Each structure stands twice: as structure tokens, then as C-alpha cells.
Amino acid sequence: MGYLSQKKKHERINFILNFSLGLISVTSFLALFDRSSTFSAFVNQWQFQIYLYLLVVFMYALISRFFIQGTFAALLIVVNYMLIASSANLFNSSHGGGTRQVSILYQNQTQNADTLMGQAQAEGVDVISLNHSCAPFSNIDKYPGYYLYNDDNELQQSFIISKYLPLKSGRILFSPQYSGSYMMFIAENQPMVLVNIDFSGLTHEQEGTVYHNLGEFVIAQDNPVVIVGDFGIPAWSKTFQKFLNKTGLEVKNHVILSNGKYRFNPFSVPSFNLLAYKNFGVSNVQFLPKNDNKLYPLLINLTF
């Protein structure tokens, strides 16, 4: 390759690196300047993807011997890592160290409940959390060993099916648009309250009300609370972090890049989480085949 070609290539790489790092620096600064703004909420949705992109830029800069840009990329990586890791687990779930286990299957928009129940029985699932789903469970006896209880009789909104006998169960209203279900039961001699939510489509204006009411429900419980579902926003957003500080809950699973339509979607907001207290952990997170249903069911093994 001639001198002029090498020079043009060098200038092209320099422009790409400078433009990428400059754009990320400006957006990150504006997002951090006012974390309660709509712009900050938008950037937060892509924070993990920005982190991954910076890793690529960092490696590319080192390989191309652009060490100044590489150093600046490394600085941005550290800043983004600290923002995400402050309330989320990037690549590994928090195992907790307990030997007792409860398996939880989560799915939204279930169209074929019989298929899902067949998967649950095959996997030995203990608890099934469903939202906005078809629920032909008027005869729960066809699924031996499972209990269904719902005070409000709104089975298509949100409900929980459990192998453990429910001690208390019902619906929680977070806002006029969002509700969830909860069930109190004893598993492996451990009483707990499982909360099942679906906050998909949550707007920045709705966050405060929804998370305030969820937090009030959590702190009112006498038994340990476990929350599973689509939280609508990433765990490192300001509203989410405020909620974690208020309740003492922690994110137990690693970052899940999926909205349920695909097992992996790099452009989705990582909003699927399981929250629990410090003595709880997660040993496994996986998507099961969706078969006749619209979305992949998410299987999480809770340990304590």
C-alpha cells in the first residue's frame, strides 16, 4: 500500500475514533448533568450497549496504534462501568451461596397456556408468573401439584401459579395503567412474598408513581420480597437506583439483552430482572423454547 493510501487510511481511522468518542463523551456528560431529564432516561436505556461499543473502540484503537484515543476510550469505559455496576451485574449473576432453590418461570402474552404448563412440568418449575396472558385455568386440577389463587379474579392481567400453597395472594395497583400480582408462600422453610410485574412501555413521566407505589408495597411486608418481571427501565437509571436504596433490594441476575421476542437482541432495553435481598441469589438464567407462544419464557433459579 502506497504512502497516500496509508495516510488516507490513517486519517479515516482517526476521524472514526474521534467522532465516536466525542459523541459518546457529549451525550454522557449531558445525561449525567441532569439525571432526571428525559434525555438522560433515553441515554440510560442504551448505557450497556454504549459500554460494549466502547470496548470495541478501545480494542480497535490499540490494534491501530491510536494510543491517545485508546486511553480516552478506557476512561469512558471505566465511567460507564461504574454507572452500570452500581446497581446491576454485567455478565455474571449473583449466586448468593445458598443451597435451597426455587425455580421461577416468567412469561408475558402467553397464548397457549397448556404448552407453557407442559414446559413447566417438564422442567420441574416451582412458580409460574404470567402477565397479559390467556389463562384457561378454570380447572387447575389438570395440572397436579400446582395452585392458583387470585383475589381480584383478573386472570388475564397478572397472576401466579405455584407448587407451594399460597398463604396470601392478590393484585397490586401501581398506577391506572400498571398493576401486578403477588403471592406469599413458604418454600424450603423460608417464607417469602413473590411479586410479579410487567412494566413494559413505561414512560419517563410514569416512572415516579409506579416505582413509589412498588416501593411502598415492598417495605410494608414482614417477609422477604422477591420481584420478577419486566421493569420497563434499566437497573442503573436514577428511578431504579432510588427504588433499590429505599427497599434494600438488589439485582440478582446478569444483564439480559432481550425483550422476549428473541433470545438475544443487542438493541433491546435490558429491563428483565429478579430482585431480592442480600441472602438470596440466582444460579441460572435461561430462555426456554417459545413453541406456540409469542414470547420466550424466562426460567430463573432462585437460591437462598
Side-chain angles (χ1 to χ4, degrees), residues 132-177:
H132 310 295
S133 302
C134 297
F137 296 127
S138 57
N139 183 16
I140 193 66
D141 294 336
K142 64 188 292 188
Y143 307 106
Y146 286 100
Y147 300 93
L148 170 64
Y149 185 75
N150 186 283
D151 281 333
D152 297 278
N153 197 29
E154 293 190 6
L155 294 181
Q156 291 191 353
Q157 289 296 318
S158 180
F159 60 97
I160 300 172
I161 301 168
S162 173
K163 281 186 175 180
Y164 306 107
L165 184 65
L167 303 178
K168 188 178 180 181
S169 180
R171 178 173 175 245
I172 319 167
L173 185 64
F174 302 116
S175 74
Q177 295 80 26

mmCIF file of all heavy atoms in Angstrom, residues 132-177:
data_model
loop_
_atom_site.group_PDB
_atom_site.id
_atom_site.type_symbol
_atom_site.label_atom_id
_atom_site.label_comp_id
_atom_site.label_asym_id
_atom_site.label_seq_id
_atom_site.Cartn_x
_atom_site.Cartn_y
_atom_site.Cartn_z
ATOM 1 N N HIS A 132 -50.774 -10.525 31.181
ATOM 2 C CA HIS A 132 -51.454 -10.278 29.906
ATOM 3 C C HIS A 132 -51.512 -11.558 29.075
ATOM 4 O O HIS A 132 -51.119 -11.584 27.907
ATOM 5 C CB HIS A 132 -50.742 -9.175 29.122
ATOM 6 C CG HIS A 132 -50.492 -7.950 29.934
ATOM 7 N ND1 HIS A 132 -51.516 -7.154 30.423
ATOM 8 C CD2 HIS A 132 -49.345 -7.377 30.385
ATOM 9 C CE1 HIS A 132 -51.002 -6.152 31.116
ATOM 10 N NE2 HIS A 132 -49.687 -6.260 31.114
ATOM 11 N N SER A 133 -51.989 -12.614 29.685
ATOM 12 C CA SER A 133 -51.934 -13.939 29.065
ATOM 13 C C SER A 133 -53.306 -14.602 29.041
ATOM 14 O O SER A 133 -54.172 -14.313 29.881
ATOM 15 C CB SER A 133 -50.952 -14.844 29.822
ATOM 16 O OG SER A 133 -49.666 -14.276 29.857
ATOM 17 N N CYS A 134 -53.487 -15.492 28.085
ATOM 18 C CA CYS A 134 -54.674 -16.334 28.061
ATOM 19 C C CYS A 134 -54.502 -17.391 29.148
ATOM 20 O O CYS A 134 -53.483 -18.072 29.198
ATOM 21 C CB CYS A 134 -54.843 -16.999 26.704
ATOM 22 S SG CYS A 134 -55.115 -15.833 25.357
ATOM 23 N N ALA A 135 -55.498 -17.528 29.990
ATOM 24 C CA ALA A 135 -55.354 -18.401 31.148
ATOM 25 C C ALA A 135 -56.541 -19.342 31.305
ATOM 26 O O ALA A 135 -57.445 -19.083 32.086
ATOM 27 C CB ALA A 135 -55.191 -17.563 32.397
ATOM 28 N N PRO A 136 -56.564 -20.423 30.558
ATOM 29 C CA PRO A 136 -57.673 -21.379 30.704
ATOM 30 C C PRO A 136 -57.449 -22.294 31.901
ATOM 31 O O PRO A 136 -57.335 -23.511 31.777
ATOM 32 C CB PRO A 136 -57.606 -22.155 29.388
ATOM 33 C CG PRO A 136 -56.164 -22.157 29.039
ATOM 34 C CD PRO A 136 -55.613 -20.831 29.529
ATOM 35 N N PHE A 137 -57.360 -21.689 33.106
ATOM 36 C CA PHE A 137 -57.037 -22.448 34.296
ATOM 37 C C PHE A 137 -58.249 -22.631 35.214
ATOM 38 O O PHE A 137 -58.117 -22.711 36.424
ATOM 39 C CB PHE A 137 -55.906 -21.764 35.083
ATOM 40 C CG PHE A 137 -54.620 -21.707 34.327
ATOM 41 C CD1 PHE A 137 -53.960 -20.504 34.165
ATOM 42 C CD2 PHE A 137 -54.062 -22.850 33.778
ATOM 43 C CE1 PHE A 137 -52.760 -20.437 33.478
ATOM 44 C CE2 PHE A 137 -52.863 -22.789 33.085
ATOM 45 C CZ PHE A 137 -52.218 -21.589 32.933
ATOM 46 N N SER A 138 -59.455 -22.605 34.630
ATOM 47 C CA SER A 138 -60.637 -22.808 35.473
ATOM 48 C C SER A 138 -60.595 -24.170 36.141
ATOM 49 O O SER A 138 -61.136 -24.364 37.219
ATOM 50 C CB SER A 138 -61.902 -22.673 34.620
ATOM 51 O OG SER A 138 -61.870 -23.599 33.548
ATOM 52 N N ASN A 139 -59.907 -25.121 35.487
ATOM 53 C CA ASN A 139 -59.741 -26.452 36.063
ATOM 54 C C ASN A 139 -58.255 -26.682 36.326
ATOM 55 O O ASN A 139 -57.565 -27.337 35.552
ATOM 56 C CB ASN A 139 -60.307 -27.526 35.130
ATOM 57 C CG ASN A 139 -60.220 -28.918 35.739
ATOM 58 O OD1 ASN A 139 -60.019 -29.065 36.943
ATOM 59 N ND2 ASN A 139 -60.351 -29.927 34.902
ATOM 60 N N ILE A 140 -57.777 -26.115 37.424
ATOM 61 C CA ILE A 140 -56.362 -26.225 37.751
ATOM 62 C C ILE A 140 -55.983 -27.654 38.100
ATOM 63 O O ILE A 140 -54.795 -28.012 38.107
ATOM 64 C CB ILE A 140 -56.009 -25.260 38.903
ATOM 65 C CG1 ILE A 140 -54.479 -25.103 39.070
ATOM 66 C CG2 ILE A 140 -56.644 -25.717 40.209
ATOM 67 C CD1 ILE A 140 -53.800 -24.444 37.933
ATOM 68 N N ASP A 141 -56.985 -28.505 38.363
ATOM 69 C CA ASP A 141 -56.715 -29.900 38.727
ATOM 70 C C ASP A 141 -56.041 -30.678 37.600
ATOM 71 O O ASP A 141 -55.444 -31.729 37.846
ATOM 72 C CB ASP A 141 -58.014 -30.601 39.127
ATOM 73 C CG ASP A 141 -58.608 -30.025 40.403
ATOM 74 O OD1 ASP A 141 -57.832 -29.446 41.185
ATOM 75 O OD2 ASP A 141 -59.832 -30.146 40.614
ATOM 76 N N LYS A 142 -56.135 -30.166 36.377
ATOM 77 C CA LYS A 142 -55.482 -30.863 35.252
ATOM 78 C C LYS A 142 -53.966 -30.710 35.304
ATOM 79 O O LYS A 142 -53.251 -31.341 34.527
ATOM 80 C CB LYS A 142 -56.039 -30.364 33.921
ATOM 81 C CG LYS A 142 -55.748 -28.904 33.631
ATOM 82 C CD LYS A 142 -56.495 -28.406 32.389
ATOM 83 C CE LYS A 142 -55.961 -29.047 31.129
ATOM 84 N NZ LYS A 142 -56.545 -28.425 29.914
ATOM 85 N N TYR A 143 -53.488 -29.832 36.218
ATOM 86 C CA TYR A 143 -52.049 -29.659 36.409
ATOM 87 C C TYR A 143 -51.723 -30.041 37.844
ATOM 88 O O TYR A 143 -51.652 -29.167 38.729
ATOM 89 C CB TYR A 143 -51.635 -28.215 36.126
ATOM 90 C CG TYR A 143 -52.096 -27.732 34.775
ATOM 91 C CD1 TYR A 143 -53.155 -26.827 34.665
ATOM 92 C CD2 TYR A 143 -51.508 -28.205 33.603
ATOM 93 C CE1 TYR A 143 -53.584 -26.395 33.429
ATOM 94 C CE2 TYR A 143 -51.945 -27.776 32.365
ATOM 95 C CZ TYR A 143 -52.987 -26.876 32.286
ATOM 96 O OH TYR A 143 -53.426 -26.455 31.068
ATOM 97 N N PRO A 144 -51.531 -31.324 38.120
ATOM 98 C CA PRO A 144 -51.342 -31.809 39.501
ATOM 99 C C PRO A 144 -50.168 -31.120 40.199
ATOM 100 O O PRO A 144 -49.093 -30.958 39.623
ATOM 101 C CB PRO A 144 -51.066 -33.306 39.323
ATOM 102 C CG PRO A 144 -51.619 -33.640 37.974
ATOM 103 C CD PRO A 144 -51.462 -32.408 37.137
ATOM 104 N N GLY A 145 -50.412 -30.725 41.430
ATOM 105 C CA GLY A 145 -49.350 -30.138 42.238
ATOM 106 C C GLY A 145 -49.236 -28.638 42.162
ATOM 107 O O GLY A 145 -48.420 -28.032 42.858
ATOM 108 N N TYR A 146 -50.038 -27.984 41.295
ATOM 109 C CA TYR A 146 -49.972 -26.532 41.165
ATOM 110 C C TYR A 146 -51.216 -25.880 41.757
ATOM 111 O O TYR A 146 -52.323 -26.413 41.651
ATOM 112 C CB TYR A 146 -49.829 -26.119 39.699
ATOM 113 C CG TYR A 146 -48.448 -26.364 39.130
ATOM 114 C CD1 TYR A 146 -48.188 -27.479 38.345
ATOM 115 C CD2 TYR A 146 -47.400 -25.485 39.382
ATOM 116 C CE1 TYR A 146 -46.917 -27.717 37.831
ATOM 117 C CE2 TYR A 146 -46.127 -25.717 38.878
ATOM 118 C CZ TYR A 146 -45.890 -26.833 38.095
ATOM 119 O OH TYR A 146 -44.642 -27.068 37.597
ATOM 120 N N TYR A 147 -51.027 -24.700 42.362
ATOM 121 C CA TYR A 147 -52.114 -23.942 42.971
ATOM 122 C C TYR A 147 -52.249 -22.595 42.263
ATOM 123 O O TYR A 147 -51.252 -21.967 41.894
ATOM 124 C CB TYR A 147 -51.854 -23.684 44.453
ATOM 125 C CG TYR A 147 -51.719 -24.936 45.289
ATOM 126 C CD1 TYR A 147 -50.462 -25.506 45.528
ATOM 127 C CD2 TYR A 147 -52.838 -25.548 45.851
ATOM 128 C CE1 TYR A 147 -50.325 -26.649 46.300
ATOM 129 C CE2 TYR A 147 -52.712 -26.696 46.622
ATOM 130 C CZ TYR A 147 -51.456 -27.238 46.842
ATOM 131 O OH TYR A 147 -51.330 -28.375 47.601
ATOM 132 N N LEU A 148 -53.476 -22.161 42.084
ATOM 133 C CA LEU A 148 -53.759 -20.851 41.502
ATOM 134 C C LEU A 148 -54.724 -20.133 42.423
ATOM 135 O O LEU A 148 -55.759 -20.670 42.793
ATOM 136 C CB LEU A 148 -54.373 -20.994 40.107
ATOM 137 C CG LEU A 148 -54.946 -19.713 39.485
ATOM 138 C CD1 LEU A 148 -53.829 -18.693 39.243
ATOM 139 C CD2 LEU A 148 -55.663 -20.022 38.177
ATOM 140 N N TYR A 149 -54.349 -18.913 42.790
ATOM 141 C CA TYR A 149 -55.224 -18.141 43.674
ATOM 142 C C TYR A 149 -55.132 -16.684 43.282
ATOM 143 O O TYR A 149 -54.037 -16.153 43.089
ATOM 144 C CB TYR A 149 -54.813 -18.319 45.137
ATOM 145 C CG TYR A 149 -55.743 -17.642 46.113
ATOM 146 C CD1 TYR A 149 -56.994 -18.186 46.396
ATOM 147 C CD2 TYR A 149 -55.365 -16.470 46.751
ATOM 148 C CE1 TYR A 149 -57.845 -17.575 47.297
ATOM 149 C CE2 TYR A 149 -56.212 -15.850 47.662
ATOM 150 C CZ TYR A 149 -57.451 -16.408 47.927
ATOM 151 O OH TYR A 149 -58.293 -15.799 48.819
ATOM 152 N N ASN A 150 -56.277 -16.018 43.125
ATOM 153 C CA ASN A 150 -56.297 -14.622 42.727
ATOM 154 C C ASN A 150 -57.530 -13.961 43.313
ATOM 155 O O ASN A 150 -58.650 -14.292 42.954
ATOM 156 C CB ASN A 150 -56.283 -14.495 41.199
ATOM 157 C CG ASN A 150 -56.148 -13.040 40.753
ATOM 158 O OD1 ASN A 150 -57.091 -12.286 40.798
ATOM 159 N ND2 ASN A 150 -54.951 -12.681 40.324
ATOM 160 N N ASP A 151 -57.323 -13.016 44.216
ATOM 161 C CA ASP A 151 -58.448 -12.366 44.890
ATOM 162 C C ASP A 151 -59.327 -11.562 43.950
ATOM 163 O O ASP A 151 -60.539 -11.502 44.097
ATOM 164 C CB ASP A 151 -57.925 -11.416 45.974
ATOM 165 C CG ASP A 151 -57.523 -12.176 47.234
ATOM 166 O OD1 ASP A 151 -58.096 -13.250 47.462
ATOM 167 O OD2 ASP A 151 -56.645 -11.698 47.953
ATOM 168 N N ASP A 152 -58.721 -10.921 42.959
ATOM 169 C CA ASP A 152 -59.456 -9.982 42.134
ATOM 170 C C ASP A 152 -60.052 -10.609 40.879
ATOM 171 O O ASP A 152 -60.747 -9.943 40.127
ATOM 172 C CB ASP A 152 -58.535 -8.814 41.734
ATOM 173 C CG ASP A 152 -58.073 -8.031 42.956
ATOM 174 O OD1 ASP A 152 -58.843 -7.179 43.425
ATOM 175 O OD2 ASP A 152 -56.960 -8.313 43.432
ATOM 176 N N ASN A 153 -59.745 -11.875 40.655
ATOM 177 C CA ASN A 153 -60.319 -12.596 39.525
ATOM 178 C C ASN A 153 -60.029 -11.905 38.187
ATOM 179 O O ASN A 153 -60.862 -11.851 37.302
ATOM 180 C CB ASN A 153 -61.845 -12.768 39.709
ATOM 181 C CG ASN A 153 -62.397 -13.864 38.789
ATOM 182 O OD1 ASN A 153 -61.683 -14.806 38.454
ATOM 183 N ND2 ASN A 153 -63.635 -13.740 38.403
ATOM 184 N N GLU A 154 -58.820 -11.341 38.070
ATOM 185 C CA GLU A 154 -58.411 -10.716 36.810
ATOM 186 C C GLU A 154 -57.238 -11.514 36.248
ATOM 187 O O GLU A 154 -56.107 -11.063 36.186
ATOM 188 C CB GLU A 154 -58.025 -9.254 37.030
ATOM 189 C CG GLU A 154 -59.216 -8.386 37.434
ATOM 190 C CD GLU A 154 -58.871 -6.909 37.412
ATOM 191 O OE1 GLU A 154 -57.756 -6.582 36.973
ATOM 192 O OE2 GLU A 154 -59.711 -6.105 37.809
ATOM 193 N N LEU A 155 -57.564 -12.715 35.825
ATOM 194 C CA LEU A 155 -56.503 -13.653 35.441
ATOM 195 C C LEU A 155 -55.751 -13.232 34.185
ATOM 196 O O LEU A 155 -54.633 -13.675 33.967
ATOM 197 C CB LEU A 155 -57.109 -15.044 35.258
ATOM 198 C CG LEU A 155 -57.668 -15.692 36.539
ATOM 199 C CD1 LEU A 155 -58.214 -17.082 36.218
ATOM 200 C CD2 LEU A 155 -56.612 -15.777 37.617
ATOM 201 N N GLN A 156 -56.347 -12.403 33.340
ATOM 202 C CA GLN A 156 -55.654 -12.016 32.123
ATOM 203 C C GLN A 156 -54.700 -10.847 32.349
ATOM 204 O O GLN A 156 -53.924 -10.510 31.469
ATOM 205 C CB GLN A 156 -56.668 -11.673 31.026
ATOM 206 C CG GLN A 156 -57.433 -12.888 30.504
ATOM 207 C CD GLN A 156 -58.225 -12.582 29.255
ATOM 208 O OE1 GLN A 156 -58.309 -11.453 28.832
ATOM 209 N NE2 GLN A 156 -58.786 -13.615 28.653
ATOM 210 N N GLN A 157 -54.765 -10.209 33.523
ATOM 211 C CA GLN A 157 -53.868 -9.098 33.817
ATOM 212 C C GLN A 157 -52.541 -9.603 34.384
ATOM 213 O O GLN A 157 -51.489 -9.403 33.799
ATOM 214 C CB GLN A 157 -54.532 -8.132 34.797
ATOM 215 C CG GLN A 157 -55.670 -7.325 34.196
ATOM 216 C CD GLN A 157 -55.199 -6.386 33.097
ATOM 217 O OE1 GLN A 157 -54.155 -5.745 33.221
ATOM 218 N NE2 GLN A 157 -55.968 -6.316 32.032
ATOM 219 N N SER A 158 -52.591 -10.251 35.532
ATOM 220 C CA SER A 158 -51.375 -10.717 36.190
ATOM 221 C C SER A 158 -51.741 -11.759 37.229
ATOM 222 O O SER A 158 -52.663 -11.545 38.024
ATOM 223 C CB SER A 158 -50.671 -9.524 36.856
ATOM 224 O OG SER A 158 -49.488 -9.923 37.514
ATOM 225 N N PHE A 159 -51.056 -12.878 37.217
ATOM 226 C CA PHE A 159 -51.343 -13.929 38.193
ATOM 227 C C PHE A 159 -50.146 -14.850 38.351
ATOM 228 O O PHE A 159 -49.211 -14.842 37.544
ATOM 229 C CB PHE A 159 -52.593 -14.731 37.806
ATOM 230 C CG PHE A 159 -52.501 -15.417 36.474
ATOM 231 C CD1 PHE A 159 -52.134 -16.744 36.384
ATOM 232 C CD2 PHE A 159 -52.796 -14.738 35.304
ATOM 233 C CE1 PHE A 159 -52.052 -17.385 35.167
ATOM 234 C CE2 PHE A 159 -52.716 -15.374 34.077
ATOM 235 C CZ PHE A 159 -52.339 -16.702 34.004
ATOM 236 N N ILE A 160 -50.180 -15.624 39.431
ATOM 237 C CA ILE A 160 -49.083 -16.525 39.771
ATOM 238 C C ILE A 160 -49.636 -17.913 40.045
ATOM 239 O O ILE A 160 -50.649 -18.061 40.723
ATOM 240 C CB ILE A 160 -48.328 -16.020 41.021
ATOM 241 C CG1 ILE A 160 -47.741 -14.627 40.760
ATOM 242 C CG2 ILE A 160 -47.197 -16.979 41.405
ATOM 243 C CD1 ILE A 160 -47.149 -13.980 42.008
ATOM 244 N N ILE A 161 -48.964 -18.919 39.504
ATOM 245 C CA ILE A 161 -49.281 -20.322 39.772
ATOM 246 C C ILE A 161 -48.103 -20.904 40.532
ATOM 247 O O ILE A 161 -46.945 -20.648 40.192
ATOM 248 C CB ILE A 161 -49.508 -21.095 38.465
ATOM 249 C CG1 ILE A 161 -50.649 -20.464 37.675
ATOM 250 C CG2 ILE A 161 -49.796 -22.564 38.727
ATOM 251 C CD1 ILE A 161 -50.760 -20.976 36.258
ATOM 252 N N SER A 162 -48.369 -21.686 41.579
ATOM 253 C CA SER A 162 -47.289 -22.142 42.447
ATOM 254 C C SER A 162 -47.502 -23.578 42.903
ATOM 255 O O SER A 162 -48.632 -24.016 43.085
ATOM 256 C CB SER A 162 -47.193 -21.214 43.668
ATOM 257 O OG SER A 162 -46.272 -21.708 44.609
ATOM 258 N N LYS A 163 -46.386 -24.282 43.084
ATOM 259 C CA LYS A 163 -46.432 -25.597 43.727
ATOM 260 C C LYS A 163 -46.606 -25.454 45.240
ATOM 261 O O LYS A 163 -47.006 -26.395 45.900
ATOM 262 C CB LYS A 163 -45.138 -26.373 43.443
ATOM 263 C CG LYS A 163 -45.080 -27.025 42.066
ATOM 264 C CD LYS A 163 -43.833 -27.876 41.949
ATOM 265 C CE LYS A 163 -43.807 -28.637 40.636
ATOM 266 N NZ LYS A 163 -42.592 -29.476 40.518
ATOM 267 N N TYR A 164 -46.273 -24.267 45.748
ATOM 268 C CA TYR A 164 -46.400 -24.018 47.171
ATOM 269 C C TYR A 164 -47.795 -23.466 47.462
ATOM 270 O O TYR A 164 -48.309 -22.619 46.734
ATOM 271 C CB TYR A 164 -45.331 -23.029 47.637
ATOM 272 C CG TYR A 164 -43.934 -23.456 47.271
ATOM 273 C CD1 TYR A 164 -43.233 -22.816 46.257
ATOM 274 C CD2 TYR A 164 -43.318 -24.517 47.928
ATOM 275 C CE1 TYR A 164 -41.950 -23.214 45.909
ATOM 276 C CE2 TYR A 164 -42.030 -24.924 47.588
ATOM 277 C CZ TYR A 164 -41.357 -24.272 46.573
ATOM 278 O OH TYR A 164 -40.095 -24.665 46.224
ATOM 279 N N LEU A 165 -48.381 -23.927 48.538
ATOM 280 C CA LEU A 165 -49.715 -23.491 48.907
ATOM 281 C C LEU A 165 -49.692 -21.996 49.249
ATOM 282 O O LEU A 165 -48.968 -21.565 50.133
ATOM 283 C CB LEU A 165 -50.207 -24.286 50.123
ATOM 284 C CG LEU A 165 -51.644 -24.005 50.569
ATOM 285 C CD1 LEU A 165 -52.624 -24.449 49.488
ATOM 286 C CD2 LEU A 165 -51.933 -24.717 51.880
ATOM 287 N N PRO A 166 -50.473 -21.193 48.536
ATOM 288 C CA PRO A 166 -50.481 -19.750 48.812
ATOM 289 C C PRO A 166 -51.052 -19.439 50.193
ATOM 290 O O PRO A 166 -52.122 -19.926 50.549
ATOM 291 C CB PRO A 166 -51.387 -19.185 47.717
ATOM 292 C CG PRO A 166 -51.476 -20.259 46.682
ATOM 293 C CD PRO A 166 -51.343 -21.555 47.411
ATOM 294 N N LEU A 167 -50.320 -18.623 50.948
ATOM 295 C CA LEU A 167 -50.824 -18.149 52.235
ATOM 296 C C LEU A 167 -51.628 -16.868 52.049
ATOM 297 O O LEU A 167 -52.566 -16.595 52.806
ATOM 298 C CB LEU A 167 -49.656 -17.893 53.190
ATOM 299 C CG LEU A 167 -48.730 -19.086 53.456
ATOM 300 C CD1 LEU A 167 -47.599 -18.672 54.382
ATOM 301 C CD2 LEU A 167 -49.511 -20.255 54.035
ATOM 302 N N LYS A 168 -51.247 -16.090 51.050
ATOM 303 C CA LYS A 168 -51.944 -14.855 50.733
ATOM 304 C C LYS A 168 -51.611 -14.480 49.307
ATOM 305 O O LYS A 168 -50.502 -14.727 48.838
ATOM 306 C CB LYS A 168 -51.523 -13.744 51.705
ATOM 307 C CG LYS A 168 -52.323 -12.462 51.586
ATOM 308 C CD LYS A 168 -51.849 -11.455 52.623
ATOM 309 C CE LYS A 168 -52.635 -10.159 52.520
ATOM 310 N NZ LYS A 168 -52.174 -9.148 53.500
ATOM 311 N N SER A 169 -52.567 -13.891 48.597
ATOM 312 C CA SER A 169 -52.327 -13.567 47.204
ATOM 313 C C SER A 169 -53.279 -12.472 46.759
ATOM 314 O O SER A 169 -54.341 -12.281 47.356
ATOM 315 C CB SER A 169 -52.514 -14.812 46.328
ATOM 316 O OG SER A 169 -52.289 -14.515 44.969
ATOM 317 N N GLY A 170 -52.915 -11.752 45.736
ATOM 318 C CA GLY A 170 -53.805 -10.710 45.243
ATOM 319 C C GLY A 170 -53.164 -9.837 44.194
ATOM 320 O O GLY A 170 -52.102 -10.142 43.654
ATOM 321 N N ARG A 171 -53.819 -8.724 43.922
ATOM 322 C CA ARG A 171 -53.405 -7.782 42.887
ATOM 323 C C ARG A 171 -52.887 -6.509 43.536
ATOM 324 O O ARG A 171 -53.384 -6.080 44.572
ATOM 325 C CB ARG A 171 -54.598 -7.477 41.984
ATOM 326 C CG ARG A 171 -54.344 -6.473 40.871
ATOM 327 C CD ARG A 171 -55.560 -6.391 39.958
ATOM 328 N NE ARG A 171 -55.406 -5.368 38.941
ATOM 329 C CZ ARG A 171 -56.162 -4.276 38.854
ATOM 330 N NH1 ARG A 171 -57.129 -4.084 39.742
ATOM 331 N NH2 ARG A 171 -55.975 -3.390 37.902
ATOM 332 N N ILE A 172 -51.866 -5.895 42.911
ATOM 333 C CA ILE A 172 -51.309 -4.629 43.374
ATOM 334 C C ILE A 172 -51.517 -3.586 42.273
ATOM 335 O O ILE A 172 -51.128 -3.820 41.129
ATOM 336 C CB ILE A 172 -49.806 -4.722 43.681
ATOM 337 C CG1 ILE A 172 -49.471 -6.027 44.397
ATOM 338 C CG2 ILE A 172 -49.337 -3.537 44.482
ATOM 339 C CD1 ILE A 172 -48.001 -6.328 44.443
ATOM 340 N N LEU A 173 -52.086 -2.458 42.616
ATOM 341 C CA LEU A 173 -52.286 -1.376 41.650
ATOM 342 C C LEU A 173 -51.175 -0.343 41.833
ATOM 343 O O LEU A 173 -51.064 0.292 42.876
ATOM 344 C CB LEU A 173 -53.655 -0.723 41.856
ATOM 345 C CG LEU A 173 -54.048 0.344 40.830
ATOM 346 C CD1 LEU A 173 -54.170 -0.285 39.436
ATOM 347 C CD2 LEU A 173 -55.344 1.028 41.231
ATOM 348 N N PHE A 174 -50.339 -0.191 40.805
ATOM 349 C CA PHE A 174 -49.228 0.752 40.862
ATOM 350 C C PHE A 174 -49.591 2.102 40.260
ATOM 351 O O PHE A 174 -49.035 3.131 40.642
ATOM 352 C CB PHE A 174 -48.013 0.178 40.135
ATOM 353 C CG PHE A 174 -47.555 -1.145 40.683
ATOM 354 C CD1 PHE A 174 -47.606 -2.298 39.910
ATOM 355 C CD2 PHE A 174 -47.086 -1.247 41.975
ATOM 356 C CE1 PHE A 174 -47.198 -3.519 40.404
ATOM 357 C CE2 PHE A 174 -46.670 -2.468 42.495
ATOM 358 C CZ PHE A 174 -46.728 -3.600 41.701
ATOM 359 N N SER A 175 -50.482 2.087 39.287
ATOM 360 C CA SER A 175 -50.979 3.298 38.631
ATOM 361 C C SER A 175 -52.220 2.892 37.844
ATOM 362 O O SER A 175 -52.529 1.698 37.747
ATOM 363 C CB SER A 175 -49.903 3.877 37.695
ATOM 364 O OG SER A 175 -49.788 3.099 36.523
ATOM 365 N N PRO A 176 -52.953 3.839 37.269
ATOM 366 C CA PRO A 176 -54.122 3.445 36.472
ATOM 367 C C PRO A 176 -53.783 2.517 35.306
ATOM 368 O O PRO A 176 -54.619 1.737 34.864
ATOM 369 C CB PRO A 176 -54.655 4.790 35.962
ATOM 370 C CG PRO A 176 -54.227 5.776 36.992
ATOM 371 C CD PRO A 176 -52.882 5.293 37.461
ATOM 372 N N GLN A 177 -52.530 2.589 34.828
ATOM 373 C CA GLN A 177 -52.130 1.758 33.673
ATOM 374 C C GLN A 177 -51.405 0.476 34.069
ATOM 375 O O GLN A 177 -51.376 -0.471 33.277
ATOM 376 C CB GLN A 177 -51.214 2.567 32.731
ATOM 377 C CG GLN A 177 -51.862 3.758 32.065
ATOM 378 C CD GLN A 177 -51.948 4.969 32.974
ATOM 379 O OE1 GLN A 177 -51.149 5.117 33.905
ATOM 380 N NE2 GLN A 177 -52.916 5.839 32.723
#
